[in-house]
Amino acid sequence: MTESNELSSSTVDHKTGITLTRRSLFVGTASLFVTGCATARTTPVVIPAAAPVRATTGSAVPPMYSAMPDEEFPVPEVKVAEVDPKFWRQEVDYPSDERPGTLIVDTPAKYLYHVLPRRRAMRYGIGVGREGFAWSGRAVVAYKRKWPRWTPPDEMVARQPKLAPYSIANGGMPPGLKNPLGARALYIHKDGKDTLYRIHGTPEAHSIGKAVSSGCIRLLNQDVVYLYDQVRDGSTIVVIPDPTMGDLAIG
C-alpha cells in the first residue's frame, strides 16, 4: 500500500524495539479487506492475565459504542448484539514485561492490548484474517491516518482486475464507511519499510472475536478511533502468534 501522511502523536512515551522478519512473498487470497502482511519467527515474552467479563442485559448500546455523528463520515452505533461483551473495550489487569504504550496483539485470543502503567492495559476485541495470522514478532507504528485511502498493491490488482480503479496509479479508494480500512488505520513498519500490516477499523461488528476471511487486524470503528488518540507514532507493536497456524515464515 502506498500512503502519505502527516505524522501525529499523543502523550504516551515509549521506546521502539524491532525484531520482525519480513515475509518474502504475499500470503493468502486477497480481498478488499487486505493489503498484505509480514511474518517472523520470534515469539515475544508476555504474561497474559485473566480479564473480567462485563455482564450485559439485552442489546443496549453502551455510550462508547454510540453513533459518532461528528466524524468526517458519520459512524453509526455498533450493533452490540453481534459482539460478545468480552470483546467490548475495557481496562483490565495485564502483567507484562512490555513498557507502557506498547501494543500487544494476542492473535489466538483475538485481543489487542495497549499497555498502561501499573500492570494494567486497555483491551480491545479484534478480528483476525488469514494474513493477520501470518506473522509475529516486533515492529513499530510508523504513522496513523484518519479516514485513510486504500491503495491495493499492484500484485493484488493483477490478481483482481476489478480493483484497477483503486490502484496506486489511480490514487486508491477514497475514504468513507465502505473503505476497507474504516475510520482510522495504523501503519506498521520495520526498519523503515512498510510491512503491509495494518490495524484498522471496520463496521462489521460480527467479525470481532473471529478469524475472518481476510485482512490483518480489525477493530470496531469506535474502538479504532479511541485507540488512534492514545497511540504515538513510533510505538512498539508486539504480535503473539497463533500456534495452531504453524510456522508461516519464509526465507
Side-chain angles (χ1 to χ4, degrees):
M1 178 179 293
T2 301
E3 297 287 349
S4 62
N5 185 47
E6 293 183 1
L7 299 186
S8 55
S9 63
S10 66
T11 58
V12 181
D13 181 27
H14 26 268
K15 185 177 181 181
T16 299
I18 305 170
T19 58
L20 179 66
T21 300
R22 176 82 182 276
R23 294 193 58 194
S24 61
L25 57 82
F26 185 82
V27 178
T29 302
S31 76
L32 280 180
F33 291 92
V34 61
T35 58
C37 289
T39 183
R41 301 174 188 270
T42 304
T43 302
V45 178
V46 179
I47 307 172
V53 176
R54 294 178 178 174
T56 182
T57 58
S59 58
V61 178
M64 64 182 173
Y65 292 137
S66 296
M68 305 179 74
D70 296 330
E71 280 288 315
E72 180 180 355
F73 302 92
V75 177
E77 71 178 22
V78 175
K79 297 178 180 179
V80 292
E82 298 181 359
V83 185
D84 190 315
K86 72 181 182 179
F87 292 116
W88 292 5
R89 181 173 81 234
Q90 58 181 295
E91 186 174 330
V92 298
D93 290 326
Y94 192 68
S96 172
D97 294 333
E98 300 295 338
R99 295 184 59 181
T102 302
L103 293 175
I104 299 175
V105 178
D106 188 338
T107 304
K110 312 299 188 297
Y111 288 124
L112 182 150
Y113 295 89
H114 188 210
V115 179
L116 304 174
R118 297 181 292 278
R119 300 167 69 85
R120 300 281 288 176
M122 186 63 72
R123 190 183 72 183
Y124 304 78
I126 59 176
V128 182
R130 283 189 299 268
E131 288 71 31
F133 282 112
W135 73 287
S136 62
R138 304 174 74 92
V140 298
V141 177
Y143 62 90
K144 309 172 293 179
R145 168 162 276 187
K146 295 182 178 180
W147 293 105
R149 298 182 71 86
W150 179 65
T151 50
D154 291 338
E155 295 83 357
M156 183 187 299
V157 174
R159 290 191 300 270
Q160 301 185 57
K162 66 181 180 180
L163 299 181
Y166 311 125
S167 68
I168 295 171
N170 289 327
M173 179 185 287
L177 294 176
K178 294 184 179 180
N179 186 295
L181 296 182
R184 305 285 191 274
L186 282 62
Y187 295 77
I188 312 305
H189 286 201
K190 182 261 182 181
D191 292 339
K193 297 180 180 180
D194 191 352
T195 67
L196 302 182
Y197 189 91
R198 308 287 184 255
I199 296 173
H200 62 84
T202 181
E204 297 181 338
H206 64 272
S207 69
I208 300 303
K210 299 175 183 176
V212 292
S213 61
S214 60
C216 290
I217 299 299
R218 60 174 68 179
L219 287 75
L220 295 168
N221 272 326
Q222 280 82 344
D223 281 348
V224 80
V225 168
Y226 184 88
L227 179 66
Y228 177 98
D229 291 335
Q230 309 304 313
V231 175
R232 180 178 179 178
D233 295 337
S235 298
T236 299
I237 177 169
V238 180
V239 181
I240 302 172
D242 189 331
T244 66
M245 299 301 292
D247 185 358
L248 299 179
I250 295 175

